[in-house]
Amino acid sequence: MCRHLHINLEDLPWPVSVLKFNQVVYEMQPGDNMIATIKDADVVSNLRLLLGSQPDVNFDLSQTDTHYRIRVIKR
């Protein structure tokens, strides 16, 4: 059964936000999806690099006026 996860990293400082994000991605099972919200553009850059190096995930990024949203799907 796939899970739908949401994590809010808006108030966590770097590198805690990156570590928390990586932990959740690591614990995801195939079919799970996650939405993460982030404020810091530098953290988003770090997360894009992290996700780009993982062959078992798909992700997309969107931006609003106040935050970024990364959607991750574990294959």
Side-chain angles (χ1 to χ4, degrees):
M1 180 174 179
C2 66
R3 297 177 298 164
H4 305 284
L5 309 167
H6 181 87
I7 59 171
N8 183 341
L9 303 173
E10 292 181 9
D11 296 326
L12 293 176
W14 181 91
V16 176
S17 55
V18 174
L19 294 170
K20 175 71 174 172
F21 182 89
N22 192 42
Q23 177 187 11
V24 173
V25 171
Y26 176 79
E27 293 172 354
M28 290 173 70
Q29 300 297 316
D32 288 353
N33 66 69
M34 171 187 57
I35 295 177
T37 54
I38 305 108
K39 280 187 180 176
D40 188 340
D42 292 330
V43 170
V44 171
S45 295
N46 280 255
L47 298 179
R48 289 179 69 186
L49 290 172
L50 177 76
L51 290 168
S53 69
Q54 297 186 18
D56 60 343
V57 297
N58 289 333
F59 73 97
D60 61 59
L61 173 67
S62 61
Q63 181 179 359
T64 69
D65 290 339
T66 59
H67 65 274
Y68 297 87
R69 185 183 78 140
I70 298 178
R71 183 174 60 106
V72 180
I73 301 171
K74 184 86 164 212
R75 291 185 271 172

Coordinates of all heavy atoms in Angstrom, one line a residue:
M1 N 0.8 -1.2 0.0 CA 0.0 0.0 0.0 C 0.9 1.2 0.0 O 1.8 1.4 0.8 CB -0.9 0.0 1.2 CG -1.8 1.1 1.4 SD -2.9 0.8 2.8 CE -3.8 2.3 2.7
C2 N 0.6 2.1 -0.9 CA 1.5 3.4 -1.0 C 1.0 4.4 0.0 O -0.2 4.5 0.4 CB 1.5 3.9 -2.4 SG -0.1 4.5 -2.9
R3 N 2.0 5.2 0.5 CA 1.7 6.2 1.5 C 1.8 7.6 0.8 O 2.6 7.7 -0.1 CB 2.7 6.1 2.6 CG 2.6 4.8 3.4 CD 3.6 4.7 4.5 NE 5.0 4.8 3.9 CZ 6.1 5.0 4.6 NH1 6.0 5.2 5.9 NH2 7.2 5.0 4.0
H4 N 1.1 8.5 1.3 CA 1.1 9.9 0.9 C 1.7 10.7 2.1 O 1.0 10.9 3.0 CB -0.2 10.4 0.4 CG -0.9 9.5 -0.6 ND1 -0.5 9.6 -1.9 CD2 -1.8 8.6 -0.6 CE1 -1.2 8.7 -2.6 NE2 -2.0 8.1 -1.8
L5 N 2.9 11.2 1.9 CA 3.6 11.9 3.0 C 3.7 13.4 2.7 O 3.7 13.8 1.6 CB 5.0 11.3 3.2 CG 5.1 9.7 3.3 CD1 6.5 9.3 3.1 CD2 4.5 9.3 4.6
H6 N 3.7 14.1 3.8 CA 3.9 15.6 3.7 C 4.8 16.0 4.8 O 4.6 15.7 6.0 CB 2.6 16.4 3.8 CG 2.8 17.8 3.6 ND1 2.8 18.4 2.4 CD2 3.0 18.8 4.5 CE1 3.0 19.7 2.6 NE2 3.2 20.0 3.9
I7 N 5.9 16.7 4.4 CA 6.8 17.2 5.4 C 7.0 18.7 5.2 O 7.1 19.2 4.1 CB 8.2 16.5 5.5 CG1 8.9 16.6 4.2 CG2 8.0 15.1 5.9 CD1 10.3 16.1 4.3
N8 N 7.0 19.5 6.3 CA 7.2 20.9 6.2 C 8.6 21.2 6.7 O 8.9 21.0 7.9 CB 6.1 21.6 7.1 CG 6.2 23.1 7.0 OD1 7.2 23.7 6.6 ND2 5.1 23.7 7.4
L9 N 9.4 21.7 5.8 CA 10.8 22.0 6.2 C 11.0 23.5 6.2 O 12.2 24.0 6.3 CB 11.8 21.4 5.2 CG 11.7 19.9 5.0 CD1 12.5 19.4 3.9 CD2 12.0 19.1 6.3
E10 N 10.0 24.3 6.2 CA 10.1 25.7 6.1 C 10.8 26.4 7.3 O 11.5 27.4 7.2 CB 8.7 26.4 6.0 CG 8.0 26.0 4.7 CD 6.7 26.7 4.6 OE1 6.3 27.5 5.4 OE2 6.0 26.3 3.6
D11 N 10.6 25.8 8.5 CA 11.2 26.4 9.7 C 12.5 25.7 10.2 O 13.0 26.1 11.3 CB 10.2 26.5 10.8 CG 9.0 27.4 10.5 OD1 9.2 28.4 9.8 OD2 7.9 27.1 10.9
L12 N 13.0 24.7 9.5 CA 14.2 24.0 9.9 C 15.4 24.6 9.2 O 15.4 24.9 8.0 CB 14.1 22.5 9.5 CG 13.0 21.7 10.2 CD1 13.0 20.3 9.7 CD2 13.3 21.7 11.7
P13 N 16.4 24.8 9.9 CA 17.7 25.4 9.3 C 18.4 24.4 8.5 O 18.2 23.2 8.7 CB 18.5 25.8 10.6 CG 18.1 24.9 11.6 CD 16.6 24.6 11.4
W14 N 19.3 24.9 7.6 CA 20.2 24.0 6.9 C 21.3 23.6 7.9 O 21.7 24.5 8.7 CB 20.8 24.7 5.7 CG 21.7 23.9 5.0 CD1 21.5 23.1 3.9 CD2 23.1 23.7 5.2 NE1 22.6 22.5 3.5 CE2 23.6 22.8 4.2 CE3 24.0 24.2 6.1 CZ2 25.0 22.5 4.2 CZ3 25.4 23.9 6.1 CH2 25.8 23.0 5.1
P15 N 21.8 22.4 8.1 CA 21.5 21.3 7.3 C 20.4 20.3 7.8 O 20.2 19.3 7.3 CB 22.9 20.5 7.3 CG 23.4 20.8 8.7 CD 22.9 22.2 9.0
V16 N 19.8 20.7 8.9 CA 18.8 19.9 9.5 C 17.7 19.5 8.5 O 17.2 18.4 8.4 CB 18.2 20.5 10.8 CG1 17.1 19.7 11.3 CG2 19.3 20.8 11.8
S17 N 17.3 20.5 7.7 CA 16.2 20.3 6.7 C 16.6 19.3 5.7 O 15.8 18.4 5.3 CB 15.8 21.6 6.1 OG 16.9 22.2 5.5
V18 N 17.9 19.3 5.2 CA 18.3 18.4 4.2 C 18.4 17.0 4.8 O 18.0 16.0 4.2 CB 19.7 18.8 3.7 CG1 20.3 17.8 2.7 CG2 19.6 20.2 3.0
L19 N 18.9 16.9 6.0 CA 19.0 15.6 6.7 C 17.6 15.0 6.9 O 17.4 13.8 6.7 CB 19.7 15.7 8.0 CG 21.2 16.1 7.9 CD1 21.8 16.4 9.3 CD2 22.0 15.0 7.3
K20 N 16.7 15.8 7.4 CA 15.3 15.3 7.6 C 14.7 14.8 6.3 O 14.1 13.7 6.2 CB 14.4 16.4 8.2 CG 13.0 16.1 8.4 CD 12.8 15.1 9.5 CE 11.3 14.9 9.7 NZ 11.0 13.9 10.6
F21 N 14.8 15.6 5.2 CA 14.3 15.2 3.9 C 14.9 13.9 3.4 O 14.2 13.0 3.0 CB 14.6 16.3 2.9 CG 14.1 16.1 1.5 CD1 12.9 16.5 1.2 CD2 14.9 15.5 0.6 CE1 12.4 16.4 -0.1 CE2 14.4 15.3 -0.7 CZ 13.2 15.7 -1.1
N22 N 16.2 13.8 3.5 CA 16.9 12.6 3.1 C 16.5 11.4 3.9 O 16.3 10.3 3.4 CB 18.4 12.8 3.3 CG 19.2 11.7 2.6 OD1 18.9 11.3 1.4 ND2 20.2 11.2 3.2
Q23 N 16.2 11.5 5.2 CA 15.7 10.4 6.0 C 14.4 9.9 5.5 O 14.1 8.7 5.4 CB 15.6 10.9 7.5 CG 15.1 9.8 8.4 CD 14.9 10.3 9.8 OE1 14.9 11.5 10.1 NE2 14.6 9.4 10.7
V24 N 13.5 10.9 5.3 CA 12.1 10.5 4.8 C 12.2 9.8 3.4 O 11.6 8.8 3.2 CB 11.2 11.7 4.7 CG1 9.9 11.4 4.1 CG2 11.0 12.3 6.1
V25 N 13.0 10.3 2.5 CA 13.2 9.7 1.2 C 13.7 8.3 1.4 O 13.3 7.3 0.7 CB 14.1 10.5 0.3 CG1 14.4 9.8 -1.0 CG2 13.4 11.8 -0.1
Y26 N 14.7 8.1 2.2 CA 15.3 6.8 2.5 C 14.3 5.8 3.0 O 14.3 4.6 2.6 CB 16.5 6.9 3.5 CG 17.1 5.6 3.8 CD1 18.0 5.0 2.9 CD2 16.8 5.0 5.0 CE1 18.6 3.8 3.3 CE2 17.4 3.8 5.4 CZ 18.3 3.2 4.5 OH 18.9 2.0 4.8
E27 N 13.4 6.2 3.8 CA 12.4 5.3 4.4 C 11.2 5.1 3.5 O 10.4 4.2 3.9 CB 11.9 5.9 5.8 CG 13.0 5.9 6.8 CD 12.6 6.7 8.1 OE1 11.6 7.3 8.1 OE2 13.5 6.6 9.0
M28 N 11.1 5.8 2.4 CA 10.0 5.6 1.5 C 10.0 4.2 0.9 O 11.1 3.7 0.6 CB 9.9 6.7 0.4 CG 9.6 8.0 0.9 SD 9.7 9.3 -0.3 CE 8.4 8.9 -1.4
Q29 N 8.9 3.6 0.6 CA 8.8 2.3 -0.1 C 8.3 2.6 -1.5 O 7.7 3.6 -1.8 CB 7.8 1.4 0.6 CG 8.1 1.1 2.1 CD 9.4 0.3 2.2 OE1 9.6 -0.6 1.4 NE2 10.3 0.7 3.1
P30 N 8.6 1.7 -2.4 CA 8.1 1.8 -3.8 C 6.6 2.1 -3.9 O 5.8 1.5 -3.2 CB 8.4 0.5 -4.5 CG 9.6 0.0 -3.7 CD 9.3 0.4 -2.3
G31 N 6.2 3.2 -4.6 CA 4.9 3.6 -4.7 C 4.5 4.7 -3.8 O 3.5 5.4 -4.0
D32 N 5.3 5.0 -2.8 CA 5.1 6.1 -1.9 C 5.3 7.4 -2.6 O 6.1 7.5 -3.5 CB 6.0 6.0 -0.6 CG 5.6 4.9 0.3 OD1 4.6 4.3 0.2 OD2 6.4 4.8 1.3
N33 N 4.6 8.4 -2.2 CA 4.9 9.8 -2.6 C 4.9 10.7 -1.5 O 4.3 10.5 -0.4 CB 4.0 10.2 -3.8 CG 2.5 10.4 -3.3 OD1 2.3 11.3 -2.5 ND2 1.6 9.5 -3.7
M34 N 5.7 11.8 -1.6 CA 5.9 12.8 -0.6 C 5.9 14.2 -1.2 O 6.3 14.4 -2.3 CB 7.3 12.6 0.1 CG 7.6 13.7 1.1 SD 9.3 13.6 1.7 CE 10.3 13.6 0.3
I35 N 5.3 15.1 -0.4 CA 5.4 16.5 -0.8 C 6.1 17.2 0.4 O 5.7 17.1 1.5 CB 4.0 17.1 -1.0 CG1 3.3 16.5 -2.2 CG2 4.0 18.6 -1.1 CD1 1.9 16.9 -2.5
A36 N 7.1 17.9 0.0 CA 7.9 18.7 1.0 C 7.8 20.2 0.6 O 7.9 20.6 -0.5 CB 9.4 18.3 1.0
T37 N 7.6 21.0 1.7 CA 7.5 22.5 1.5 C 8.8 23.1 2.1 O 9.1 22.7 3.2 CB 6.3 23.1 2.1 OG1 6.1 22.7 3.4 CG2 5.0 22.7 1.3
I38 N 9.4 24.0 1.4 CA 10.7 24.6 1.8 C 10.6 26.1 1.5 O 10.1 26.5 0.4 CB 11.8 23.9 1.0 CG1 11.8 22.4 1.2 CG2 13.2 24.5 1.4 CD1 11.4 21.7 -0.1
K39 N 11.2 26.9 2.3 CA 11.3 28.3 2.0 C 12.7 28.7 1.4 O 12.7 29.6 0.6 CB 11.2 29.1 3.3 CG 9.8 29.3 3.8 CD 9.7 30.2 5.0 CE 8.3 30.4 5.5 NZ 8.3 31.2 6.7
D40 N 13.7 28.1 1.8 CA 15.1 28.5 1.5 C 15.5 27.9 0.1 O 15.6 26.7 -0.1 CB 16.0 28.0 2.5 CG 17.5 28.5 2.4 OD1 17.9 28.9 1.3 OD2 18.2 28.5 3.4
A41 N 15.8 28.8 -0.9 CA 16.2 28.4 -2.2 C 17.5 27.6 -2.2 O 17.7 26.7 -3.0 CB 16.4 29.6 -3.1
D42 N 18.4 27.9 -1.3 CA 19.7 27.1 -1.2 C 19.4 25.7 -0.7 O 20.1 24.8 -1.2 CB 20.7 27.8 -0.2 CG 21.2 29.1 -0.7 OD1 21.3 29.3 -2.0 OD2 21.5 30.0 0.1
V43 N 18.5 25.5 0.2 CA 18.1 24.2 0.6 C 17.5 23.4 -0.6 O 17.8 22.3 -0.9 CB 17.1 24.2 1.8 CG1 16.5 22.8 2.0 CG2 17.8 24.7 3.0
V44 N 16.7 24.1 -1.4 CA 16.1 23.5 -2.6 C 17.2 23.0 -3.5 O 17.1 21.9 -4.1 CB 15.1 24.4 -3.3 CG1 14.6 23.9 -4.6 CG2 13.9 24.7 -2.4
S45 N 18.2 23.8 -3.7 CA 19.3 23.4 -4.6 C 20.0 22.2 -4.1 O 20.3 21.3 -4.9 CB 20.3 24.6 -4.7 OG 19.7 25.7 -5.3
N46 N 20.2 22.1 -2.8 CA 20.8 20.9 -2.2 C 19.9 19.7 -2.4 O 20.4 18.6 -2.8 CB 21.0 21.1 -0.7 CG 22.2 21.9 -0.4 OD1 23.2 21.4 0.1 ND2 22.2 23.2 -0.6
L47 N 18.6 19.9 -2.2 CA 17.7 18.7 -2.4 C 17.6 18.3 -3.8 O 17.5 17.1 -4.1 CB 16.3 19.1 -1.8 CG 16.3 19.4 -0.3 CD1 14.9 19.8 0.1 CD2 16.8 18.3 0.5
R48 N 17.7 19.2 -4.8 CA 17.7 18.8 -6.2 C 18.9 18.0 -6.5 O 18.8 17.0 -7.3 CB 17.6 20.0 -7.1 CG 16.2 20.7 -7.0 CD 16.2 21.9 -7.9 NE 16.2 21.5 -9.3 CZ 16.3 22.4 -10.3 NH1 16.4 23.7 -10.1 NH2 16.4 21.9 -11.5
L49 N 20.0 18.3 -6.0 CA 21.2 17.5 -6.3 C 21.1 16.2 -5.6 O 21.5 15.2 -6.2 CB 22.5 18.3 -5.7 CG 22.9 19.5 -6.4 CD1 24.0 20.2 -5.6 CD2 23.4 19.2 -7.8
L50 N 20.6 16.1 -4.4 CA 20.4 14.9 -3.7 C 19.5 13.9 -4.5 O 19.8 12.8 -4.7 CB 19.9 15.1 -2.3 CG 19.6 13.9 -1.5 CD1 20.8 13.3 -0.9 CD2 18.7 14.3 -0.3
L51 N 18.3 14.5 -4.9 CA 17.4 13.6 -5.6 C 17.9 13.2 -7.0 O 17.6 12.1 -7.5 CB 16.1 14.4 -5.8 CG 15.3 14.6 -4.5 CD1 14.1 15.6 -4.7 CD2 14.7 13.2 -4.0
G52 N 18.6 14.1 -7.6 CA 19.2 13.8 -9.0 C 20.2 12.6 -8.9 O 20.4 12.0 -10.0
S53 N 20.7 12.4 -7.8 CA 21.7 11.3 -7.7 C 21.1 9.9 -7.3 O 21.8 8.9 -7.2 CB 22.8 11.6 -6.6 OG 22.2 11.6 -5.3
Q54 N 19.8 9.9 -7.1 CA 19.1 8.7 -6.6 C 18.3 8.1 -7.8 O 17.3 8.8 -8.3 CB 18.2 9.0 -5.4 CG 19.0 9.5 -4.2 CD 18.1 9.6 -3.0 OE1 17.0 9.1 -2.9 NE2 18.6 10.3 -2.0
P55 N 18.6 7.0 -8.3 CA 18.0 6.4 -9.5 C 16.6 5.9 -9.2 O 15.8 5.6 -10.2 CB 18.9 5.3 -9.9 CG 19.6 4.8 -8.6 CD 19.7 6.1 -7.8
D56 N 16.2 5.7 -8.0 CA 14.9 5.1 -7.7 C 13.8 6.1 -7.3 O 12.7 5.7 -6.8 CB 15.0 4.1 -6.6 CG 15.5 4.6 -5.3 OD1 16.1 5.8 -5.3 OD2 15.4 4.0 -4.2
V57 N 14.0 7.4 -7.6 CA 12.9 8.4 -7.4 C 12.7 9.3 -8.6 O 13.6 9.5 -9.4 CB 13.3 9.3 -6.1 CG1 13.4 8.5 -4.9 CG2 14.5 10.1 -6.4
N58 N 11.5 9.7 -8.7 CA 11.1 10.8 -9.6 C 10.7 12.0 -8.8 O 10.2 11.8 -7.7 CB 9.9 10.4 -10.5 CG 10.3 9.4 -11.5 OD1 11.4 9.2 -11.9 ND2 9.3 8.6 -11.9
F59 N 11.0 13.2 -9.3 CA 10.6 14.4 -8.5 C 10.3 15.5 -9.4 O 10.7 15.6 -10.6 CB 11.7 14.8 -7.5 CG 12.9 15.4 -8.1 CD1 13.0 16.8 -8.2 CD2 13.9 14.6 -8.6 CE1 14.2 17.4 -8.7 CE2 15.1 15.2 -9.2 CZ 15.2 16.6 -9.2
D60 N 9.5 16.4 -8.9 CA 9.2 17.7 -9.6 C 9.2 18.8 -8.6 O 9.0 18.6 -7.4 CB 8.0 17.7 -10.5 CG 6.7 17.4 -9.7 OD1 6.4 18.2 -8.8 OD2 6.0 16.4 -10.0
L61 N 9.5 20.0 -9.1 CA 9.6 21.2 -8.2 C 8.7 22.3 -8.7 O 8.5 22.5 -9.9 CB 11.1 21.7 -8.3 CG 11.4 23.0 -7.6 CD1 11.3 22.8 -6.1 CD2 12.8 23.4 -8.0
S62 N 8.0 22.9 -7.8 CA 7.2 24.1 -8.1 C 7.5 25.2 -7.1 O 8.0 24.9 -6.0 CB 5.7 23.7 -8.1 OG 5.3 23.3 -6.9
Q63 N 7.1 26.4 -7.5 CA 7.4 27.6 -6.6 C 6.2 28.5 -6.5 O 5.5 28.7 -7.5 CB 8.6 28.3 -7.2 CG 9.0 29.5 -6.3 CD 10.2 30.2 -6.9 OE1 10.8 29.9 -8.0 NE2 10.6 31.3 -6.3
T64 N 5.9 29.0 -5.3 CA 4.9 30.0 -5.2 C 5.6 31.3 -4.7 O 6.8 31.3 -4.6 CB 3.8 29.6 -4.1 OG1 4.5 29.5 -2.8 CG2 3.3 28.2 -4.4
D65 N 4.8 32.2 -4.3 CA 5.4 33.5 -3.8 C 6.1 33.3 -2.5 O 7.1 34.0 -2.2 CB 4.3 34.5 -3.6 CG 3.7 35.0 -4.9 OD1 4.4 34.9 -6.0 OD2 2.6 35.6 -4.9
T66 N 5.7 32.3 -1.7 CA 6.3 32.2 -0.3 C 7.1 31.0 -0.1 O 7.9 30.9 0.9 CB 5.2 32.2 0.7 OG1 4.3 31.1 0.4 CG2 4.4 33.5 0.7
H67 N 7.0 29.9 -0.9 CA 7.8 28.7 -0.7 C 7.9 27.9 -2.0 O 7.4 28.2 -3.0 CB 7.1 27.9 0.4 CG 5.7 27.4 0.1 ND1 4.6 28.1 0.2 CD2 5.4 26.2 -0.5 CE1 3.6 27.4 -0.2 NE2 4.0 26.2 -0.6
Y68 N 8.7 26.8 -1.8 CA 8.9 25.8 -2.9 C 8.2 24.6 -2.4 O 8.1 24.3 -1.2 CB 10.4 25.5 -3.1 CG 11.2 26.7 -3.5 CD1 11.8 27.6 -2.6 CD2 11.4 26.9 -4.9 CE1 12.5 28.7 -3.0 CE2 12.2 28.0 -5.3 CZ 12.7 28.9 -4.3 OH 13.5 29.9 -4.7
R69 N 7.8 23.8 -3.4 CA 7.2 22.5 -3.2 C 7.9 21.4 -4.0 O 8.1 21.6 -5.2 CB 5.8 22.5 -3.5 CG 5.0 21.2 -3.1 CD 3.6 21.3 -3.6 NE 3.6 21.0 -5.0 CZ 2.7 20.3 -5.6 NH1 1.7 19.8 -5.0 NH2 2.8 20.1 -6.9
I70 N 8.4 20.4 -3.4 CA 9.0 19.3 -4.1 C 8.1 18.0 -3.9 O 7.8 17.7 -2.7 CB 10.5 19.0 -3.6 CG1 11.4 20.2 -3.8 CG2 11.0 17.7 -4.3 CD1 12.8 20.0 -3.3
R71 N 7.7 17.4 -5.0 CA 7.0 16.2 -4.9 C 7.9 15.1 -5.4 O 8.6 15.1 -6.4 CB 5.8 16.3 -5.9 CG 4.9 15.0 -5.8 CD 3.7 15.2 -6.6 NE 4.0 15.4 -8.0 CZ 3.8 14.5 -9.0 NH1 3.3 13.3 -8.7 NH2 4.1 14.8 -10.2
V72 N 8.0 14.0 -4.5 CA 8.9 12.9 -4.8 C 8.0 11.6 -4.8 O 7.1 11.4 -4.0 CB 9.9 12.7 -3.6 CG1 10.8 11.6 -3.8 CG2 10.7 14.0 -3.4
I73 N 8.3 10.8 -5.8 CA 7.7 9.5 -6.0 C 8.8 8.4 -6.0 O 9.7 8.5 -6.8 CB 6.8 9.4 -7.3 CG1 5.8 10.5 -7.3 CG2 6.2 8.0 -7.4 CD1 5.0 10.6 -8.6
K74 N 8.6 7.5 -5.1 CA 9.6 6.4 -5.0 C 9.2 5.3 -6.0 O 8.1 4.8 -6.0 CB 9.7 5.8 -3.6 CG 10.7 4.8 -3.3 CD 12.0 5.4 -3.0 CE 13.0 4.4 -2.4 NZ 13.8 5.0 -1.4
R75 N 10.1 4.9 -6.9 CA 9.8 3.8 -7.8 C 10.2 2.5 -7.3 O 11.0 2.3 -6.4 CB 10.6 4.0 -9.1 CG 10.2 5.2 -9.9 CD 10.9 5.3 -11.2 NE 12.1 6.1 -10.9 CZ 13.1 6.2 -11.8 NH1 13.1 5.7 -12.9 NH2 14.1 7.0 -11.5

